Amino acid sequence: MLDRAFALLYDRVLAGVERAGLAGRRAALLATATGRVLEIGAGTGANLAHLPPDLDALALTEPSPGMRRRLAQRATRSHDRAMIVGAGAEALPFADATFDTAVSTLTLCTVDDPERAARELRRVLVPGGRLLVIEHVAGSGPTARWQRRIEPVWRHVARGCRLTRDTRATLAGAGFEVSGLADWTMPGGGVTGPAIIGVARAPA
């Protein structure tokens, strides 16, 4: 019941942030996706409208049944050949070196084991493959202190989102080259504002 309710509310909650600039950044980043593409934690399909229509293949993973139902509805309108899989990012059901591009937007902040998820992303990408990233991360100074204070409550109301993760370091630890990731502030700023955006590369 809670899963279905969250899926119904998710797009409405994010609508203001999308209009304030998140949608534009999604569009610019995801327009660069090529070849065989994997998106982890695809949610209700917010990225689908921004992915190129001529991809060689598109796989979408999403562990939440409620989210997958809405994802399937959107996919039929824009990427009707997409494969939708009920799997978490920590155990991707794909062979090594399957994808040319992977996508993670507002997902690595929610997974239970981000280090394992990062290793899985590296595993399924071809050598030199690209991971397109928009993720909440820990801030600094007073922002970081407030993030730590509110996170126990925030993670319960925001589908497991942890605001205090160092996702750039996690990806580097999994072997990704992370110089293409830039600091960014999500629209609205505040304690949920610190983010990273850009491209991490699997070793060639």
Side-chain angles (χ1 to χ4, degrees):
M1 187 69 172
L2 287 175
D3 177 76
R4 181 175 297 181
F6 190 89
L8 289 171
L9 290 171
Y10 186 76
D11 292 330
R12 296 179 188 177
V13 170
L14 273 187
V17 179
E18 296 283 357
R19 289 193 298 270
L22 178 56
R25 298 305 294 263
R26 285 188 198 266
L29 181 65
L30 299 178
T32 69
T34 58
R36 298 160 296 170
V37 176
L38 165 69
E39 180 181 359
I40 61 167
T44 61
N47 285 330
L48 287 172
H50 306 301
L51 286 166
D54 56 349
L55 301 172
D56 294 336
L58 176 61
L60 308 167
T61 69
E62 173 51 55
S64 160
M67 292 284 200
R68 282 201 306 275
R69 280 190 288 271
R70 294 181 69 80
L71 176 63
Q73 293 168 1
R74 271 191 171 146
T76 58
R77 297 195 292 269
S78 60
H79 290 80
D80 58 356
R81 293 186 298 163
M83 174 174 59
I84 299 174
V85 181
E90 298 95 334
L92 297 172
F94 306 107
D96 295 0
T98 296
F99 299 99
D100 305 292
T101 307
V103 176
S104 178
T105 63
L106 310 184
T107 297
L108 290 174
C109 59
T110 69
V111 298
D112 291 332
D113 189 338
E115 288 78 15
R116 185 174 175 185
R119 291 194 299 271
E120 279 289 271
L121 284 164
R122 180 185 169 187
R123 180 184 66 79
V124 301
L125 278 169
V126 299
R130 301 160 67 246
L131 172 62
L132 311 182
V133 175
I134 303 175
E135 292 289 351
H136 287 118
V137 295
S140 60
T143 297
R145 290 194 291 273
W146 277 107
Q147 286 177 320
R148 290 192 293 271
R149 288 172 185 167
I150 73 167
E151 187 171 83
V153 174
W154 175 261
R155 63 181 292 189
H156 288 294
V157 300
R159 198 178 172 234
C161 174
R162 280 80 154 184
L163 297 170
T164 58
R165 287 184 170 167
D166 187 347
T167 297
R168 182 188 277 107
T170 297
L171 293 173
F176 282 96
E177 198 285 307
V178 297
S179 63
L181 296 175
D183 293 327
W184 184 50
T185 300
M186 293 273 288
V191 295
T192 64
I196 55 173
I197 188 168
V199 180
R201 290 187 179 273

